[in-house]
């Protein structure tokens, strides 16, 4: 039995450290916010050089898995349609983002019951993507007259602006989890189908989707262009952030191993 196995128990978890520490096995200094194994029973840490990180779950489950389970259980066609939409966008992101971006699907929101359909970590930041598989005309327009600006999101004539505000149910907890204001976090609503008005279509084709309360409203191709934009995160930071989020945001329907 190795020294690590003698001293690190079954409750050890892989996490971003709240405080600086020293590896129990080799003595190496592990800085605050670095990823390491922490045993809450003895309050000791072990670095990833002495005990490798757990296997990544970042590509599991496939997009739409939890919605598919809900559709099967309730026999609700709306959940089935949602599952199809999430699967389509998940496959699209896997095909399109091939420059070191890291993608996860269907993750639990920390401290809540909701889920994140798609989570992407890229140079441009952390993206929290909510997939909408709605049909009809999609409009983001001013409803307050010529001399005022009160923009709202309409889908097939129905005011859906509340869906934008709902994005904060995942945005705020994830930003608290990251706890680093220098890391951009971008919530987005992506529409699988739907007919965009002429003005919106021109904006999307130019790579400038709408933004309301910091939430992007977009079609899939325009979303991919935004994600691929250069940003402040290095490749090492992308990988570190992805591993931390992977550890703290378990797949829907699966218990966290922490």
């Amino acid at each position: 039995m190795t020294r690590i196995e003698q001293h690190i128990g079954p409750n050890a978890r892989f996490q971003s450290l709240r405080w600086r520490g020293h590896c129990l096995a080799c003595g190496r200094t592990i800085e605050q916010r670095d990823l390491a194994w922490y045993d809450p029973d003895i309050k000791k840490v072990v670095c990833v050089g002495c005990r490798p990180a757990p296997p990544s779950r970042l590509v599991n489950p496939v997009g739409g898995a939890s919605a598919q389970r809900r559709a099967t259980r309730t026999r609700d066609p709306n959940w089935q349609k949602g599952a199809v939409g999430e699967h389509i966008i998940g496959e699209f992101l896997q095909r399109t983002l091939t420059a070191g971006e890291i993608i996860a699907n269907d993750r639990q929101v920390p401290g809540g019951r909701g889920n994140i359909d798609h989570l992407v970590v890229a140079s441009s930041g952390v993206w929290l993507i909510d997939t909408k598989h709605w049909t009809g005309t999609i409009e983001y327009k001013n409803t307050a007259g010529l001399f005022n600006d009160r923009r709202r999101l309409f889908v097939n004539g129905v005011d859906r602006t509340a869906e934008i505000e709902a994005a904060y149910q995942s945005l705020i907890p994830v930003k608290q989890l990251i706890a680093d204001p220098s890391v951009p976090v971008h919530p987005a609503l992506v529409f699988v189908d739907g007919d965009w008005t002429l003005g919106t279509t021109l904006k999307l084709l130019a790579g400038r989707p709408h933004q309301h309360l910091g939430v992007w409203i977009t079609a899939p191709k325009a979303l991919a262009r935004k994600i691929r934009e250069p940003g402040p995160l290095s490749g090492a930071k992308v990988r570190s952030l992805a591993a931390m989020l992977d550890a703290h945001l378990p797949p829907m329907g699966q218990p966290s191993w922490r």
Side-chain angles (χ1 to χ4, degrees):
M1 181 179 291
T2 67
R3 182 183 176 187
I4 297 173
E5 291 170 333
Q6 289 174 338
H7 294 286
I8 293 291
N11 293 324
R13 55 183 182 252
F14 188 64
Q15 66 178 59
S16 176
L17 296 187
R18 295 182 181 180
W19 300 279
R20 188 187 208 189
H22 295 87
C23 177
L24 177 64
C26 69
R28 170 180 171 267
T29 299
I30 308 172
E31 299 295 339
Q32 182 183 17
R33 300 190 191 284
D34 281 356
L35 290 166
W37 290 95
Y38 172 71
D39 189 330
D41 297 326
I42 60 174
K43 295 182 172 56
K44 298 293 183 180
V45 293
V46 169
C47 72
V48 293
C50 294
R51 184 175 182 177
S56 175
R57 302 170 299 186
L58 277 172
V59 295
N60 283 319
V62 297
S66 67
Q68 180 69 63
R69 289 193 295 271
R70 181 72 174 267
T72 301
R73 186 168 64 252
T74 64
R75 301 181 184 275
D76 187 335
N78 290 326
W79 280 103
Q80 182 61 51
K81 184 176 181 181
V84 171
E86 291 175 28
H87 183 74
I88 290 171
I89 293 300
E91 294 290 301
F92 169 80
L93 293 172
Q94 293 287 351
R95 291 194 310 270
T96 308
L97 304 178
T98 58
E101 302 90 351
I102 300 177
I103 304 165
N105 297 300
D106 216 7
R107 293 305 175 104
Q108 296 180 32
V109 175
R113 295 184 178 181
N115 75 302
I116 302 168
D117 292 341
H118 313 285
L119 171 71
V120 178
V121 187
S123 173
S124 56
V126 176
W127 291 81
L128 311 175
I129 302 166
D130 187 5
T131 297
K132 299 300 182 186
H133 198 184
W134 295 340
T135 57
T137 301
I138 301 168
E139 299 175 281
Y140 180 65
K141 63 183 181 180
N142 182 23
T143 60
L146 184 61
F147 299 105
N148 295 291
D149 191 2
R150 184 173 178 268
R151 296 187 177 273
R152 310 285 292 179
L153 172 65
F154 290 85
V155 180
N156 209 26
V158 178
D159 190 335
R160 297 287 192 175
T161 311
E163 296 291 337
I164 299 173
E165 297 159 358
Y168 284 84
Q169 294 179 6
S170 60
L171 172 65
I172 293 173
V174 169
K175 291 189 78 167
Q176 288 179 321
L177 180 61
I178 294 172
D180 183 350
S182 69
V183 175
V185 182
H186 309 286
L189 297 182
V190 59
F191 290 89
V192 181
D193 292 321
D195 301 319
W196 297 83
T197 62
L198 179 61
T200 305
T201 300
L202 292 176
K203 290 191 70 174
L204 289 168
L205 291 175
R208 294 190 301 274
H210 289 298
Q211 194 175 32
H212 182 91
L213 297 176
V215 180
W216 292 102
I217 307 166
T218 178
K221 289 183 180 179
L223 173 66
R225 286 195 292 268
K226 293 299 298 183
I227 294 172
R228 290 196 301 259
E229 288 180 355
L233 304 185
S234 66
K237 184 66 173 178
V238 167
R239 292 188 293 273
S240 175
L241 268 174
M244 185 275 289
L245 293 170
D246 185 38
H248 287 81
L249 306 177
M252 289 293 292
Q254 298 183 25
S256 172
W257 52 265
R258 294 181 291 119

